[in-house]
Amino acid sequence: MNKYLSAVFLFIIFLGIYYFGSFSKIPFADCIGFVFSAEKGIWGTTATATNHFLYINTVILIKNLAGINAIEASRFLVVSSSAATVSVIYLTVKSISKTEWTSLTAAFVFGFSFTFWRNAEIIEVYTYNSLWVSLFFFSMIKSFTEKKRIYILLSSLFLGISLWLHIQNILLIPALAVFLFYFRNEKKYAVVSLLIFTALFSSLFILNISQGLPFKSAYSSDRGTWVEDSFKKDTIQYVKDFFQSLGYLLYNFNLFTYFGITGILLLYKNNKNMFFVFTVGALCVYGFSTFYAVSDNYVFFLPFNMIFALSIGYGLSSIKYASLRKFSWICLLIPVGYLLVYKVILLTEKGKEFHAFKEYKGGLNYYALPWMNNNIGILEFTIDKKQAPETIEWMTSSSIEYIELLKSKGYTEEQIRKL
């Protein structure tokens, strides 16, 4: 019972952290598009690669049930699912490590990791998606550690549901395939599990085709050729992409990166089956995210980051690191690390130039610090007809439409500027 009490406390702690650090005004990037879709209140009837069917419909459901606007409904979903994901990470590590302090440390390290924390503070699909993916990882590990057959079925169920949030999760199908292979002796459960996943996955295509969309609409987009462009880079760019991915890893996990690596080696030594399941999933996600030709590719590492956080917890559980228990509180200083990095970068000429160039949306604060309270909003930027030094029409066009929708509901420009 204690582990569930700890999970509840973690949920409450991170719910508070994420809520108080949450955006003050609708941020830039894709946030405005999500809010606009939810505010219109039109239920999604297709599941394409960019409309995130389950996310939008969940926000609309919360909005209608609670009688709140799309902004607060989105905030509630993002913040609560983020805090819940941290609790699931804790429970998953506890299941494999059987050690309380390592489980709590891994949960805090992941909860404070930059990419996850940032997405917990804005209006995005990734933390809600992370919740379902974390449940997928939890169920697979439970299948190995507790031999409860129900978790074999739940693994497919959670991964199948996650596809309705983000199609990127098809990269985890190889991990599921290896997992079911290792449980092939549980023939009845393995077959039913495969059928559950197949039904959920194929339903994406059936729904879209029934709405007149082409078969490939579930995994492709007419808004960009990002996948195709990922194969058109030169060798130098691929090398830069790889080292950039290592930079992301270090910024997310700092000195705990070492324990993630030791956790991988320890898992290989102690449980090769589980090692290969998670290695296949990690490599597929990491490889795709590293070379994917989008400017914000860092967010696509999140499923990998969850696997790595689990590995950190498992690595710390090694007997040779037992003496580190009294130093585990260091993970609480991770936010201080972000502040120090931010201050150091601002002392450099390149940092000052970057800060000035991106000042229209918050400068270096927007890129180096995960919390988003007191941020600059896209609506005030649009209403004041400000200009950016780079192309952001794809944001402002949605912003203009949203502003018009709010005006039709009786909002004044001054009220909208504060949203």
Side-chain angles (χ1 to χ4, degrees), residues 213-284:
L213 297 181
F215 178 84
K216 66 177 184 178
S217 60
Y219 59 84
S220 64
S221 172
D222 56 5
R223 289 168 52 183
T225 55
W226 305 299
V227 175
E228 294 86 345
D229 293 343
S230 301
F231 294 98
K232 297 177 182 178
K233 301 176 182 180
D234 56 38
T235 304
I236 299 297
Q237 187 57 54
Y238 285 125
V239 173
K240 287 181 179 178
D241 287 345
F242 175 71
F243 282 102
Q244 184 181 59
S245 72
L246 294 181
Y248 290 154
L249 182 66
L250 289 171
Y251 199 59
N252 273 287
F253 297 111
N254 44 77
L255 59 87
F256 289 95
T257 304
Y258 171 80
F259 299 104
I261 295 170
T262 60
I264 294 170
L265 299 176
L266 185 64
L267 186 62
Y268 177 76
K269 178 182 178 181
N270 294 338
N271 194 321
K272 286 186 174 60
N273 288 357
M274 196 186 303
F275 168 83
F276 285 117
V277 168
F278 282 93
T279 297
V280 167
L283 289 176
C284 288

Side-chain angles (χ1 to χ4, degrees), residues 137-153:
F137 295 151
F138 173 79
S139 298
M140 288 199 298
I141 286 179
K142 279 286 192 178
S143 298
F144 282 110
T145 60
E146 296 189 7
K147 310 296 183 182
K148 291 182 179 179
R149 296 169 178 173
I150 185 64
Y151 288 112
I152 300 174
L153 305 181

Side-chain angles (χ1 to χ4, degrees), residues 107-217:
F108 272 98
V109 169
F110 179 75
F112 284 148
S113 62
F114 180 86
T115 303
F116 186 76
W117 192 353
R118 159 52 60 85
N119 280 274
E121 309 291 24
I122 62 177
I123 300 170
E124 262 290 7
V125 65
Y126 297 105
T127 54
Y128 189 34
N129 180 59
S130 293
L131 176 58
W132 291 102
V133 174
S134 68
L135 288 169
F136 167 58
F137 295 151
F138 173 79
S139 298
M140 288 199 298
I141 286 179
K142 279 286 192 178
S143 298
F144 282 110
T145 60
E146 296 189 7
K147 310 296 183 182
K148 291 182 179 179
R149 296 169 178 173
I150 185 64
Y151 288 112
I152 300 174
L153 305 181
L154 291 176
S155 298
S156 288
L157 176 67
F158 292 138
L159 182 60
I161 290 173
S162 76
L163 293 174
W164 288 80
L165 274 157
H166 206 297
I167 198 61
Q168 181 208 356
N169 296 327
I170 60 174
L171 297 170
L172 294 171
I173 293 177
L176 177 66
V178 175
F179 168 75
L180 292 178
F181 173 77
Y182 286 133
F183 283 91
R184 62 190 182 281
N185 290 333
E186 299 286 352
K187 188 174 181 180
K188 174 184 173 182
Y189 287 88
V191 170
V192 173
S193 181
L194 182 60
L195 289 174
I196 289 172
F197 177 78
T198 302
L200 287 167
F201 188 25
S202 60
S203 294
L204 288 168
F205 301 92
I206 294 171
L207 175 65
N208 288 350
I209 292 172
S210 72
Q211 298 297 308
L213 297 181
F215 178 84
K216 66 177 184 178
S217 60

Side-chain angles (χ1 to χ4, degrees), residues 314-326:
Y314 192 58
L316 283 170
S317 71
S318 174
I319 296 176
K320 64 180 178 179
Y321 298 128
S323 61
L324 294 177
R325 178 177 180 175
K326 59 186 176 182

Side-chain angles (χ1 to χ4, degrees), residues 42-87:
I42 301 174
W43 296 96
T45 56
T46 59
T48 67
T50 54
N51 71 357
H52 307 296
F53 174 92
L54 186 56
Y55 173 80
I56 290 298
N57 284 338
T58 303
V59 174
I60 292 174
L61 179 63
I62 294 170
K63 171 177 169 286
N64 291 348
L65 290 177
I68 54 180
N69 62 35
I71 298 172
E72 293 309 315
S74 300
R75 190 195 311 276
F76 174 81
L77 178 60
V78 170
V79 170
S80 59
S81 59
S82 301
T85 302
V86 175
S87 293

